[in-house]
Amino acid sequence: MFSIVLCILLCFVFNFWWKRKCYDPHGPPIHPGALPIIGNAHQFLGDGLKLWKFLKELSYFSLKCGGVSTVYLGPLHRIYIVTDPDDCLTLSNACLDKPFIYDIVKEWANNGLITADVSIWKPHRKLLNPMFNQKILHENLEIFNSQARRLVEQMSVELEKGKFATHKYIVSNSQETVCQIILNLTSDTFDDVIKGYSKATQDLLDVFIAKSQKLWLHIPFIFKRSSYKKKLDRSIEITTAILNRVIQNQKAELKKSNFTVNANRAVTFLDLMLTVQETQGSFTDDDIREHLDQLAFTAFDTTTETLTFGLKLIGSNERVQQRIYEELKEVLGDTNADVSRYDLPQLVYLDAVVREILRTYSTVPFAARKILKDIKLKNYTLRANSIGAISVFGIHRHPIWGADVEEFRPERWLEPSLAFNDNPSLFAAFSLGKRNCIGKWYAMISIKTTLAHLLRHYRLYADDKKMTVKFDVSIRAIAGHEISLERR
């Protein structure tokens, strides 16, 4: 009897403490459905479909509350959902540390740009920024073009056969592109290195997806004894061995030429990192490997999913597709011509289409920051020792975009009155602030070049209304994303 009374009393005291902890007269509203002690944790449970539905609900509720709302993961973790563009920029620049949420990939990513502590991230980002400018990427346009042609050829087997899933073609093509531009792996090494690296990368992704959906895997004791831990260790061992070999081989080649890249090939990111290591002593081999691993992984994953969504959206909008085709004919002329550095700025409508794809389906719909001190926003104060979740999905659904915010309409990017012209924070597909995505120009050039080649050769047919999307590490189309092709 005494034990029962004691349990009831403890529950009462804990519940009272939890309510006092959650109460903040100057804080944003708590998302509906929060329960005593566990908060909103139960609403995050379920598969990727359910999770994506709930994450969208969080964003819409935040928008209704003026751009900020609150959720609780148990009694210890308070998360602010921020959707106001100005507040998101304030949060992004004031808080650069990453919270525990990123621990899903920390064992693999370690000190790469995504997960590194600020003390490491800041000097490394400063060194890496010059490597990702448009000039460097333009030097690799020959690879972007040849890979786009390769994709056109690979997809030709599906001509007039009805609907098919594009993902398998885009995945392998994107991996090959990444391996050439970032790692300097040529076609001679595709079979023995790229395939091995690609397989290990896919296994890593499977582990990250499992950890994002199965909350019990976040408990170290359980994860260490699971099959996923073995899979993670094996994949890390493979990618580490491959990248170490690539780094040493490339370092030896550059030393022979006194760190001058052969004029017959483009400069890769690996070349640039090794040159900085040699001239400034700023990177260790482990630093280079971790940066390369993260860059290759994120570049492959985000461009793959964006192209999958993009082909579906374009194939569902004949008017948009025809306008892209007419612009391509006007700018490029010959259907087999390469896309040059001078052509890219002239493909104005295609650029608008790519931006609208990224606005409609941002593959990374949330970014999170650790709040170490109180942050004053326009209407609320975010308390220290909390997490700030920047909802990219919410920013891209903000009412300022107009009544047609849910529609795929590339023309909005060409209108002088577009609110984005006055507030760049309205477009957050590559995150916001100082710790934004370093690979923005890689993604834009890769996607535009690929679409330019595909749409000059094929007419696409699709129905985006039948597409089903889930969330794990990023958002992915898992059903209804098939298209069909017809040669132009």
Side-chain angles (χ1 to χ4, degrees), residues 103-118:
D103 289 349
I104 290 176
V105 299
K106 183 68 173 176
E107 191 170 347
W108 158 74
N110 201 19
N111 289 321
L113 285 182
I114 296 175
T115 53
D117 292 337
V118 174

Side-chain angles (χ1 to χ4, degrees), residues 14 17-19 21-22 30 34-44 70-79 100 215:
F14 199 42
W17 169 80
W18 185 81
K19 287 184 176 180
K21 176 181 173 64
C22 293
I30 299 175
L35 298 175
I37 302 176
I38 66 171
N40 303 90
H42 62 291
Q43 295 174 293
F44 285 87
T70 312
V71 292
Y72 282 88
L73 286 179
L76 301 178
H77 299 297
R78 173 171 49 197
I79 304 176
F100 76 94
L215 298 183

Side-chain angles (χ1 to χ4, degrees), residues 61 76 93 117 119 168 199 285 464 476:
F61 181 74
L76 301 178
N93 285 328
D117 292 337
S119 60
K168 62 180 180 180
K199 174 63 168 61
D285 284 358
D464 62 308
R476 307 176 192 283

Side-chain angles (χ1 to χ4, degrees), residues 183-220:
L183 305 179
N184 188 34
L185 296 176
T186 64
S187 56
D188 297 334
T189 58
F190 278 174
D191 288 340
D192 63 337
V193 178
I194 291 183
K195 286 183 179 178
Y197 182 77
S198 298
K199 174 63 168 61
T201 300
Q202 188 60 51
D203 287 343
L204 284 170
L205 182 59
D206 293 341
V207 175
F208 301 153
I209 289 172
K211 289 189 76 173
S212 70
Q213 294 178 350
K214 301 173 181 180
L215 298 183
W216 58 88
L217 291 178
H218 289 255
I219 302 171

Side-chain angles (χ1 to χ4, degrees), residues 78-96:
R78 173 171 49 197
I79 304 176
Y80 296 108
I81 308 298
V82 188
T83 51
D84 179 87
D86 297 324
D87 286 343
C88 285
L89 183 60
T90 299
L91 173 62
S92 297
N93 285 328
C95 305
L96 298 176

Side-chain angles (χ1 to χ4, degrees), residues 46-54 213 468-471 476 478:
D47 59 15
L49 290 171
K50 185 177 179 182
L51 181 57
W52 178 229
K53 180 181 178 182
F54 180 61
Q213 294 178 350
T468 303
V469 177
K470 72 169 183 176
F471 176 84
R476 307 176 192 283
I478 58 170

